[in-house]
Each structure stands twice: as structure tokens, then as C-alpha cells.
Amino acid sequence: MQKTNETKAKSKSLLDNRILWMAVSVVLAMLIWVYYVSNYGTEVTRTFYGVEVTYVGRDAMRESQSLIISEEETTSVTLTLSGSRREMSKLTSEDLKAVVNLSTVVSPGYRTMAYTISYPSSVNSASIREDVKQPQTVGLQISKLANRLVEVSGRFEGSLAEGYALDAAGMSFDPAYITLYGPEEELEQVATAAVIISRDNVSSSFTAAANYNLVDENGEQLSFDDVTVDADTVSVYVPINMTKEVALDVSLVYGGGVTEEHVVKDISPQTITIAGDAAAIDSINTIYIATIDLSDYLAFPHTEYSIILPNDAENLSGVSTASVDLTFTGLETAYYVVTNLEYTNLAEGYDADVMDITLGVTIRAPADVLSSIEANNIRAVADLTDITTTSRAPVTVYVDGYSEAGAVGDYVLYVRVVPAAAEEEAAEG
């Protein structure tokens, strides 16, 4: 009897356990059904705005066909998509791309092209339905790839230290020209590649790497998406010169009785302003515009001389000539007939004799000195250097004993020069 009761109790316990597990299974099934229905069974529709348009084969089209996209009518599209809540929840506008395949483009011109939608790899795109594409196609202008060489130009917009000047004409660029690649209609708008250099308180020449802008003939900056260049930067040399005021002067060769105390100089202009490399002009304080032998002039005439600048210097004053007036003071002149006629520097193997009997010369000296000079104090000496035949020979006039006196002007003597043997033969005959 007792065994029967135990068997009945066990049977009841098993039944209760089966009921419990059946209840648990029903609950789990309901949860799975709710999860499935929520994520896979319910379809949702969403609209995605600003989906980027991208291109496949753009580089290949450029390289193989020399074609580029010169204008894009549409850069983004709007998509309305439907799918399970689970798949749709994975999508954003940034995840999607509207992809245009350019592999069929072989000639320039305008065309409308369809696009496909690219999904992220985490999304089962097969479960997505594409309801609306707005627009359904995109418009493109395809142009032939051209190239053009444009000159680099530039300007300095900084400030200079006191006493320095920009040599704008001397600015140089490396490279001097930039090659542009892009649509011909865009390249034709470019006038130059413009560089602007800005530094403050500059006192020496310098070289700098700089960016440039493409500008049109009016100096307006241009911007192109499809223009490329062969150099992104250029090296710019900016020459900065020192400026300096220097005196103008003449170099005087004293003679003919004239010494420094007897000359009054009047030069106009007295100074000019020059510019040049600091190393070249720093030591220049005076520019000599002429060398004047004072023994050549009784009275010096008003004379204009060209201003010749040292190498690599520039005249900033705008004048190219200077006038010179010289006045002789404290001197008088007298005319003498000289009989002391001599020669010097006769070549070996030759004989000579002066053919002139007298030579008239003008002597200049202070009045008290001049009154003491006699004709026999004066010698005229012909220089026979390199003379081997009868010739006019240049003469140096000496006023013996009177260093403050000198001859004015140039003089010559006729001198007979013959080989010594010929002189002896003539004497014997």
C-alpha cells in the first residue's frame, strides 16, 4: 500500500514538471516571434537626403581618353528605401553613395547618366527595396583634357628697413612657368600664376617658397575643381637694394701752373641717390664722372658729362648727366718764344736733330712768379719714344726753377730721325 502511494506521488511530480516546461516553451516561442516580427516581419520606409554622388573610372577616363568632368549638375541625391526595421536601422545618408560608372564615356559632351546605390558591407542590400530616386539620373559635362603654360608673376607687399628699396624688376621665380591641366574653357580664363610675398622690416635680398593663385586678366582669383598643376609652390627670389646718396665729382690732373688752391669747382647736381646690393654700394661715397687735365685749358668751358654708375647700381634720381664748371683763380698767363729745344728717348742706332728753331708757348703761374720768368728758363723737350723717322714729336715744356709755373696746351716739334750710318754717309759725301 505504501509503495502505491509513492508511485502516485512521483507521477504527479513529473506531470507538474511537464506543465512547467510547456509554459516556458510557450513564453520563449512568443518572445522569439515578437523579436522576429519586430526586426524582420515589419517593413519600414525611410527617406535619405544628401546622398553623395561618386564616380567609378574617373582616373581611367582621364588617362585613357583624356577626358574629365568639367561640370557636375548634381552632387547629391535623395533616396526613399524600404526594408526590415533591422536593416534600415543600420543606414544613414553618409553610409549610402550614388555611384556613376564612367567606363562607357569615350567622347566629350553633355550626358545624363544613371547611378546605382552603394550600401555599407554590414547591410543585406538584397533585402532593401529602392522605392524612389530623386533625381533618377545625374547630368555631366565631359570635356577634353587640355594643358596650358602660364607665367608666374608676383609682388612684394611687406615693409622695408630705412635706406632700402625693392628691385621689383629683379624678382625671379623657379619655376618661371606653371603647366595647367584641365578643361580648355577653364584654362583659357587664366592669365597668370600670382605670388604675393609679405615680410616686414626687410634689409637684404631673400629667397622663399610660396604658394600662388591662378588669376584672370583683371587680377581676380580663379577656382577650379578639375584643374591640376605640375607644381604646387614656387621659389621666389626678392632682391632688396640699399639706397644711398653719393656725391658727384671730377678727377683733376693738376698742371699748367694750376694746383688745387687755384680751382673752383661747380658741379650740378652735386649728389644723386643710387640703389644696389649692399655689398656693392656700401663703400661708394663718390662717383667720378670725368678726368680733366687742367694743363689743356686756359679757360675751362661749361661741359656736360654722362653719369656712369658702378656695376649693379641703379640711379634713382632721374638724371643721366651732370654739368661741370671750373674757374681758375690767382693765376695769369704770358707768351714766350722758346729757343731751348731738345729731345729725349732716341732709339739706339739713330741720330736726330730738331728742325724747328723756336717754339711759342703759353706759361701760366701766379702773377709774382710769372713776372720773374725769362725765356731762357723754359725748355721744350720732344719725346722720341717709338719714333724712327722724321716726325712731329710730342713736347713736354719745363720751366726750370719755377715749380708753380706750367705750360698750357699741347705742343709738338718737328724732329729729323735717321739711322746713324746714313748720317755718317751724308757727312762724308
Side-chain angles (χ1 to χ4, degrees):
M1 186 70 177
Q2 183 177 359
K3 183 176 181 180
T4 303
N5 289 336
E6 289 177 355
T7 301
K8 289 181 177 180
K10 289 180 180 179
S11 298
K12 185 178 179 181
S13 176
L14 290 171
L15 179 62
D16 290 342
N17 285 338
R18 282 197 291 269
I19 293 172
L20 174 62
W21 283 110
M22 288 178 63
V24 170
S25 298
V26 169
V27 171
L28 288 174
M30 290 180 66
L31 291 175
I32 293 171
W33 181 82
V34 169
Y35 174 80
Y36 179 83
V37 169
S38 298
N39 289 279
Y40 298 100
T42 302
E43 183 177 87
V44 297
T45 299
R46 290 179 58 193
T47 299
F48 299 88
Y49 299 94
V51 176
E52 181 185 2
V53 177
T54 62
Y55 300 91
V56 172
R58 193 169 190 164
D59 291 340
M61 181 181 73
R62 180 188 182 105
E63 293 174 5
S64 63
Q65 305 292 337
S66 294
L67 297 175
I68 58 174
I69 300 173
S70 58
E71 185 178 350
E72 302 176 38
E73 282 188 353
T74 307
T75 58
S76 65
V77 299
T78 300
L79 302 176
T80 300
L81 308 177
S82 298
S84 67
R85 186 182 302 276
R86 178 181 176 84
E87 295 301 313
M88 294 297 288
S89 67
K90 299 177 183 178
L91 294 176
T92 66
S93 294
E94 289 74 23
D95 297 326
L96 299 168
K97 303 295 180 186
V99 180
V100 179
N101 190 336
L102 300 174
S103 61
T104 60
V105 178
V106 294
S107 61
Y110 177 83
R111 52 182 35 84
T112 56
M113 303 192 70
Y115 56 88
T116 59
I117 302 173
S118 173
Y119 297 89
S121 59
S122 60
V123 173
N124 180 11
S125 59
S127 67
I128 304 296
R129 185 175 72 248
E130 299 170 359
D131 297 331
V132 179
K133 296 179 179 180
Q134 183 60 40
Q136 293 185 343
T137 60
V138 296
L140 300 176
Q141 180 65 45
I142 305 296
S143 297
K144 195 71 175 175
L145 177 67
N147 65 78
R148 183 180 177 202
L149 204 62
V150 297
E151 187 174 9
V152 180
S153 64
R155 64 180 185 272
F156 177 78
E157 292 187 345
S159 62
L160 302 176
E162 183 69 26
Y164 291 85
L166 169 70
D167 179 10
M171 286 183 66
S172 61
F173 309 92
D174 184 20
Y177 291 86
I178 300 294
T179 302
L180 311 181
Y181 302 91
E184 187 173 9
E185 60 271 20
E186 293 183 356
L187 300 189
E188 289 177 348
Q189 301 176 46
V190 181
T192 186
V195 178
I196 297 177
I197 298 293
S198 180
R199 289 190 181 183
D200 293 325
N201 201 38
V202 178
S203 60
S204 62
S205 302
F206 65 92
T207 300
N211 295 317
Y212 58 86
N213 293 313
L214 302 179
V215 299
D216 63 18
E217 60 183 8
N218 298 317
E220 297 295 328
Q221 184 174 336
L222 301 170
S223 179
F224 304 113
D225 293 330
D226 296 297
V227 172
T228 59
V229 298
D230 66 345
D232 294 323
T233 62
V234 296
S235 177
V236 185
Y237 173 67
V238 182
I240 304 297
N241 291 334
M242 172 186 281
T243 61
K244 188 175 185 180
E245 186 176 35
V246 297
L248 297 181
D249 203 350
V250 290
S251 179
L252 299 179
V253 179
Y254 296 104
V258 181
T259 63
E260 184 176 359
E261 63 182 288
H262 300 126
V263 182
V264 177
K265 289 188 289 187
D266 182 12
I267 301 174
S268 180
Q270 295 181 343
T271 64
I272 61 170
T273 300
I274 63 173
D277 184 82
I281 72 169
D282 187 43
S283 61
I284 300 174
N285 297 307
T286 303
I287 295 176
Y288 289 90
I289 58 176
T291 297
I292 302 172
D293 186 346
L294 298 180
S295 65
D296 290 339
Y297 301 95
L298 277 173
F300 188 80
H302 174 88
T303 306
E304 294 278 338
Y305 292 99
S306 296
I307 301 173
I308 307 300
L309 298 180
N311 290 338
D312 303 320
E314 180 182 357
N315 186 347
L316 302 183
S317 296
V319 293
S320 59
T321 63
S323 63
V324 177
D325 289 285
L326 302 179
T327 304
F328 305 137
T329 63
L331 298 172
E332 293 186 3
T333 60
Y335 182 78
Y336 296 85
V337 177
V338 179
T339 58
N340 296 330
L341 308 181
E342 305 172 3
Y343 60 82
T344 188
N345 296 324
L346 176 65
E348 185 177 353
Y350 287 86
D351 289 325
D353 64 88
V354 177
M355 300 174 68
D356 293 279
I357 298 174
T358 61
L359 179 67
V361 298
T362 298
I363 302 299
R364 180 167 51 198
D368 58 336
V369 174
L370 195 63
S371 63
S372 301
I373 297 173
E374 302 291 340
N376 59 8
N377 301 127
I378 304 172
R379 290 182 297 121
V381 181
D383 183 3
L384 302 183
T385 301
D386 296 328
I387 295 177
T388 56
T389 187
T390 300
S391 303
R392 300 174 67 201
V395 167
T396 300
V397 176
Y398 298 92
V399 184
D400 295 328
Y402 298 91
S403 59
E404 294 175 280
V408 181
D410 296 324
Y411 301 93
V412 295
L413 288 172
Y414 281 93
V415 180
R416 185 170 68 90
V417 178
V418 295
E423 181 71 13
E424 292 176 0
E425 291 175 1
E428 292 175 358

